[in-house]
């Protein structure tokens, strides 16, 4: 597509956009009496307008049914997690047997590591990217210590080469091959939160398996952003949150994928809980944990209805839009954003996200070597909502479900004005 840095061009793209109608299904924060330019869906998605009615339905069922809501509510609570896992099958490329919605991301990461990280004296190392999200770093560090190993020797970090910002796939594969005798687990973010780099999940998974290690991924910045094929790629496990691109609300329920070869194996080690027990025996209240032959076998407690209801409502919109169409729009809109940023003069920053749109999602990370915080504050004062990440990145993320080409153009206009007054 030939891009043009004009409002008329942006308006025409919005007019032709078949997903533009979904914008009206969301609430935008207000700044000075008008919609903010919200480009922060990579931190927290906007509230879908259908959430209020969805919550009120569960409140009404709780009021009218009390405990009988587990089987008598409009959406019986006994199966509430399945109302969310079903729409996720197309987004994540997995069967419903392989998906569950529960807990939060880091809790799920710990639960998955207790199943998939079982180190021995010979095979005990974990490979992760340098600069992974801190929660992942803390989880891996404490899991390694829990098993009696020293994080300094048990955790291998793959870094960008000197003078570069991105991690080369050949460097990841080289380390996996080199450490094949001692590697127990490869655990990467599907997308690095800071740079926005999308990793080659199938290639990394295949290399991990060839080395005799498990492959797991934190898909916090992937779920609802880039369609993946977790089953076909033979990924062992994955975890994610739902408050970013999936618009599940602040602190919303997390999710987990377990490949069917493990999910269907009742002998595969996992921590037990009542809601993970085989349903036919659950209410017999007997000793002896018999896990469900699916990812739900990792569940511990009853479904968090009020922490799932907003996600359920949002996923109805995903089903209507289609993850393929959303990805197509995202690539076009992010490429337009990149084009516009390249027109800017008088402001010193570098886009450190991959230029290849197949190696990134909706986010572009702008690295400022100076005055980055000042520029971010000026953006905020002008009605733009984006986020700042130390030591010098402003992350800009147009979400295709609710952002428009005009949002992107107006963002560019404001930045151009900031640059001209610098």
């Amino acid at each position: 597509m030939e891009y043009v840095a004009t409002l008329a061009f942006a308006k025409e793209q919005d007019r032709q956009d078949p997903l533009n109608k979904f914008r009206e299904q969301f609430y935008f924060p207000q700044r000075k009496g008008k919609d903010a330019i919200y480009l922060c869906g990579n931190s927290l998605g906007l509230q879908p307008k259908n959430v209020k009615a969805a919550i009120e339905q569960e409140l009404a069922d709780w009021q009218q049914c009390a405990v009988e809501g587990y089987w008598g509510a409009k959406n019986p609570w006994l199966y509430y997690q399945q109302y969310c896992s079903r729409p996720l099958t197309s987004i994540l490329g997995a069967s419903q047997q392989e998906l569950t919605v529960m807990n939060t991301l880091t809790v799920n990461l710990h639960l998955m590591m207790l199943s998939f990280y079982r180190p021995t004296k010979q095979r005990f190392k974990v490979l992760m990217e340098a600069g992974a999200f801190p929660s992942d770093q803390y989880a891996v560090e404490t899991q390694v210590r829990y098993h009696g190993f020293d994080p300094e020797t048990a955790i291998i970090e793959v870094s960008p080469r000197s003078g570069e910002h991105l991690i080369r796939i050949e460097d990841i594969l080289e380390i996996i091959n080199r450490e094949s005798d001692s590697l127990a687990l490869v655990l990467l973010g599907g997308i690095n939160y800071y740079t926005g780099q999308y990793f080659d999940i199938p290639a990394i998974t295949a290399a991990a398996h060839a080395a005799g290690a498990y492959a797991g991924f934190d898909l916090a910045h992937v779920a609802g952003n880039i369609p993946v094929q977790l089953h076909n790629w033979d990924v062992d496990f994955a975890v994610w949150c739902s408050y970013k691109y999936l618009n599940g609300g602040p602190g919303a329920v997390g999710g987990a994928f377990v490949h069917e070869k493990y999910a269907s194996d009742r002998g595969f080690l996992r921590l037990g809980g009542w809601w993970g027990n085989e349903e036919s025996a659950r209410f017999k209240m007997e000793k002896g944990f018999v896990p469900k032959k699916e990812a739900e076998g990792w569940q511990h407690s009853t479904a968090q209805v009020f922490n799932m209801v907003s996600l359920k409502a949002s996923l109805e919109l995903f089903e209507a839009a289609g993850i393929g169409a959303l990805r197509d729009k995202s690539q076009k809109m992010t490429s337009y954003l990149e084009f516009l940023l390249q027109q800017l003069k008088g402001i010193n920053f570098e886009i450190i996200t991959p230029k290849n749109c197949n190696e990134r999602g909706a986010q572009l990370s702008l690295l400022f070597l100076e005055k980055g915080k000042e520029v971010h504050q000026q953006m905020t004062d002008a009605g733009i909502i984006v986020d700042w990440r130390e030591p010098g990145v402003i992350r800009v993320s147009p979400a295709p479900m609710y952002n428009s080409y005009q949002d992107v153009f107006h963002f560019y206009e404001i930045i151009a004005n900031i640059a001209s007054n610098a």
Side-chain angles (χ1 to χ4, degrees), residues 7-266:
L7 179 58
F9 176 85
K11 286 182 175 179
E12 178 60 20
Q13 297 312 302
D14 287 334
R15 189 189 68 79
Q16 296 179 18
D17 174 21
L19 299 179
N20 196 37
K21 60 186 178 183
F22 288 97
R23 180 181 178 88
E24 299 303 317
Q25 300 300 316
F26 290 84
Y27 291 108
F28 281 76
Q30 297 299 295
R31 296 292 184 270
K32 299 178 182 178
K34 60 181 181 180
D35 290 350
I37 299 174
Y38 192 84
L39 301 173
C40 208
N42 57 330
S43 281
L44 181 68
L46 293 181
Q47 181 189 138
K49 292 182 178 178
N50 62 348
V51 163
K52 184 177 181 181
I55 292 175
E56 287 177 345
Q57 178 66 56
E58 304 309 333
L59 286 172
D61 286 340
W62 181 20
Q63 174 186 334
Q64 295 166 17
C65 302
V67 71
E68 293 178 345
Y70 278 97
W71 55 90
K74 180 180 179 181
N75 306 299
W77 303 331
L78 278 171
Y79 313 107
Y80 212 87
Q81 69 278 357
Q82 295 172 7
Y83 309 146
C84 296
S85 61
R86 190 176 303 115
L88 287 170
T89 58
S90 60
I91 294 172
L92 295 167
S95 69
Q96 196 168 1
Q97 177 193 16
E98 297 172 308
L99 298 174
T100 189
V101 176
M102 61 183 186
N103 306 315
T104 53
L105 187 156
T106 308
V107 172
N108 290 337
L109 178 55
H110 276 295
L111 292 175
M112 291 299 112
M113 287 193 70
L114 286 171
S115 290
F116 287 93
Y117 178 61
R118 295 184 241 169
T120 65
K121 288 183 179 180
Q122 171 67 29
R123 192 177 287 277
F124 61 94
K125 294 181 181 178
V126 181
L127 174 64
M128 60 191 308
E129 81 258 36
F133 194 78
S135 191
D136 288 6
Q137 295 184 51
Y138 304 154
V140 174
E141 173 194 340
T142 53
Q143 285 276 341
V144 163
R145 291 189 188 280
Y146 173 80
H147 287 284
F149 292 92
D150 181 356
E152 290 296 320
T153 55
I155 299 174
I156 309 167
E157 292 187 334
V158 56
S159 304
R161 296 184 185 183
S162 178
E164 299 182 359
H165 300 292
L166 304 174
I167 298 172
R168 298 193 186 192
I169 181 64
E170 58 263 35
D171 293 345
I172 297 174
L173 301 182
E174 190 277 327
I175 292 175
I176 292 173
N177 182 62
R178 187 181 72 224
E179 299 288 343
S180 60
D181 290 340
S182 60
L183 195 62
L185 174 65
V186 175
L187 179 65
L188 298 175
I191 289 178
N192 180 272
Y193 83 98
Y194 188 77
T195 65
Q197 179 181 8
Y198 173 49
F199 293 110
D200 189 337
I201 293 174
I204 294 167
T205 300
H209 290 168
Y214 288 118
F217 295 88
D218 174 352
L219 301 182
H221 287 267
V222 173
N225 181 10
I226 299 177
V228 291
Q229 294 294 326
L230 297 181
H231 175 85
N232 291 343
W233 294 346
D234 207 24
V235 170
D236 295 311
F237 73 88
V239 293
W240 58 89
C241 58
S242 63
Y243 48 79
K244 300 180 187 296
Y245 295 101
L246 291 174
N247 313 313
V253 67
F257 162 88
V258 182
H259 197 280
E260 68 177 7
K261 60 188 172 185
Y262 310 111
S264 62
D265 179 2
R266 285 191 167 127

